[in-house]
């Protein structure tokens, strides 16, 4: 084989490996984004499963967790700030349920939905007032933002940590729901609140636990998300919240595995679309086109239960 031909084959091999690792990096990025959407989507799907309520304020609780980290880390270390942010976000989520949703428990669902939208705008406007509407830089969390080399690829540690942590949290949540008394109570309330009440289950406590779990996952997702995108604005939770909602609908709202699957589909496809400069502008359009398609052809999602009542 001639020297020129060997150089040509080496060139082709190098080009192939370059493309291969490029697409692997895109896939890892898509899985990371999908994991973040999954952590938010679980909150939507759990609240809907228990209350038949779309908690439109969930994305803004995710945003509030970002600002909690910014302001708390300014006066204390990152490692002290992390548990405080998780606790404050959980308190905020439970407070929203107590103040905005619990008094409307017997009201028409439209009233509760309007209340959820009102809470969403309230949180956004409060954040705008408190921050002046300006983007704030997110603090650096060293163990998430340091670079890791895998073969010839260099990625942030959170690209590896995010999917692994998401899988661990989802597995733990499924075990909680299927193997514990509180999980059994949650399933009973999701099936029939009146019957569950007659059986002695404390409905309000179960609903509070649901908001605790959803808010905790939103806080974890917030830490990972803003460590990747590096700044927080008062509207920063709106688009991730909407995409997570679409993920929940795609998988079958009320189904945790369905919400996770939908989140990964959206995250991976969105990342590949953004990588193409000609079509990057359509990355958000894809998400909402998917919502239209799933509502037209399978309104209850891939794994959701078909409801006979009108919602």
């Amino acid at each position: 084989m001639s020297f020129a031909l060997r150089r040509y084959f080496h060139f082709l091999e190098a080009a192939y490996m370059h493309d291969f690792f490029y697409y692997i990096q895109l896939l890892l990025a898509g899985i990371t984004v999908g994991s973040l959407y999954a952590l938010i989507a679980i909150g939507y799907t759990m609240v809907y499963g228990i209350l038949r309520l779309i908690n439109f304020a969930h994305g803004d609780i995710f945003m509030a967790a970002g600002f909690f980290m910014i302001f708390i880390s300014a006066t204390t270390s990152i490692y002290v700030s992390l548990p405080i942010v998780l606790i404050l976000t959980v308190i905020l989520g439970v407070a929203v349920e107590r103040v905005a949703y619990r008094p409307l428990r017997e009201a028409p669902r439209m009233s509760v939905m309007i209340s959820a939208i009102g809470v969403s705008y309230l949180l956004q406007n409060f954040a705008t007032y408190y921050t002046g509407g300006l983007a704030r830089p997110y603090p650096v969390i060293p163990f998430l933002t340091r670079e890791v080399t895998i073969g010839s690829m260099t990625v942030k540690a959170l690209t590896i940590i995010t999917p692994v942590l998401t899988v661990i949290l989802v597995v733990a949540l499924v075990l909680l729901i299927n193997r514990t008394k509180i999980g059994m109570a949650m399933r009973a309330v999701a099936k029939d609140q009146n019957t569950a009440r007659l059986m002695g289950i404390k409905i309000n406590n179960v609903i509070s636990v649901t908001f605790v779990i959803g808010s905790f996952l939103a806080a974890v997702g917030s830490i990972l998300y803003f460590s990747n995108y590096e700044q927080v604005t008062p509207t920063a939770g709106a688009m991730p919240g909407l995409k997570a909602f679409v993920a929940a609908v795609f998988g079958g709202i009320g189904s945790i595995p369905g919400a996770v699957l939908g989140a990964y589909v959206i995250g991976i496809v969105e990342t590949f679309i953004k990588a193409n400069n000609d079509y990057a502008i359509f990355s958000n359009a894809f998400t909402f086109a998917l919502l239209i398609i799933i509502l037209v052809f399978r309104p209850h999602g891939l794994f959701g239960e078909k409801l006979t009542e009108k919602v």
Side-chain angles (χ1 to χ4, degrees):
M1 185 182 294
S2 68
F3 176 73
L5 193 57
R6 284 200 301 271
R7 286 192 63 185
Y8 175 71
F9 279 122
H10 284 315
F11 171 78
L12 287 180
E13 182 181 7
Y16 171 78
M17 292 304 294
H18 176 270
D19 288 344
F20 174 76
F21 285 118
Y22 172 71
Y23 287 116
I24 289 294
Q25 282 184 305
L26 282 182
L27 180 61
L28 286 174
I31 291 172
T32 300
V33 174
S35 298
L36 297 172
Y37 291 158
L39 292 173
I40 309 171
I42 290 170
Y44 278 109
T45 205
M46 286 186 66
V47 171
Y48 182 84
I50 300 292
L51 290 178
R52 294 293 185 263
L53 162 69
I54 305 299
N55 181 17
F56 287 109
H58 193 62
D60 299 290
I61 291 173
F62 164 87
M63 172 272 297
F67 280 117
F68 288 156
M69 175 60 81
I70 289 171
F71 294 123
I72 294 169
S73 64
T75 57
T76 186
S77 73
I78 286 293
Y79 300 101
V80 174
S81 301
L82 287 171
I84 295 175
V85 167
L86 296 175
I87 293 168
L88 287 178
T89 307
V90 167
I91 291 172
L92 176 62
V94 173
V96 166
E97 189 275 326
R98 291 281 180 91
V99 174
Y101 302 151
R102 185 171 296 185
L104 299 174
R105 193 67 52 78
E106 304 301 326
R109 288 184 189 164
M110 183 62 70
S111 300
V112 186
M113 186 175 70
I114 292 170
S115 179
I117 295 171
V119 171
S120 173
Y121 280 104
L122 177 65
L123 291 174
Q124 285 186 29
N125 279 269
F126 183 79
T128 301
Y129 171 78
Y130 198 75
T131 64
L134 301 175
R136 297 293 182 95
Y138 198 73
V140 174
I141 302 177
F143 67 87
L144 291 178
T145 54
R146 68 184 177 88
E147 293 188 336
V148 176
T149 301
I150 305 174
S152 63
M153 297 186 300
T154 301
V155 296
K156 288 182 178 180
L158 65 83
T159 303
I160 308 300
I161 292 172
T162 301
V164 173
L165 183 58
T166 300
V167 170
I168 291 172
L169 289 172
V170 170
V171 170
L173 180 58
V174 170
L175 290 175
L176 174 73
I177 292 173
N178 292 330
R179 302 288 180 86
T180 66
K181 287 185 178 180
I182 186 63
M184 186 182 300
M186 291 168 70
R187 285 184 282 129
V189 173
K191 202 70 175 177
D192 190 325
Q193 283 195 21
N194 292 328
T195 302
R197 186 180 290 109
L198 292 172
M199 294 173 65
I201 294 173
K202 296 179 180 179
I203 304 295
N204 288 335
N205 291 350
V206 171
I207 291 171
S208 293
V209 170
T210 302
F211 274 84
V212 166
I213 294 171
S215 300
F216 174 82
L217 293 176
V220 173
S222 174
I223 292 167
L224 297 170
Y225 182 90
F226 292 119
S227 292
N228 192 30
Y229 292 97
E230 300 179 351
Q231 64 178 17
V232 188
T233 64
T235 58
M239 189 56 69
L242 285 173
K243 289 180 179 179
F245 169 66
V246 174
V249 172
F250 175 79
I253 193 159
S255 166
I256 291 173
V260 174
L261 175 62
Y264 280 120
V265 169
I266 291 172
I268 292 170
V269 175
E270 175 187 299
T271 300
F272 275 87
I273 292 174
K274 284 182 176 178
N276 188 318
N277 291 330
D278 294 332
Y279 300 105
I281 195 172
F282 296 109
S283 61
N284 290 336
F286 158 76
T287 302
F288 300 109
L290 180 64
L291 176 62
I292 294 170
I293 292 169
I294 199 69
L295 288 175
V296 169
F297 293 102
R298 196 174 175 85
H300 51 285
L302 295 181
F303 301 105
E305 295 182 5
K306 190 171 182 179
L307 300 176
T308 55
E309 60 179 340
K310 186 176 181 180
V311 178

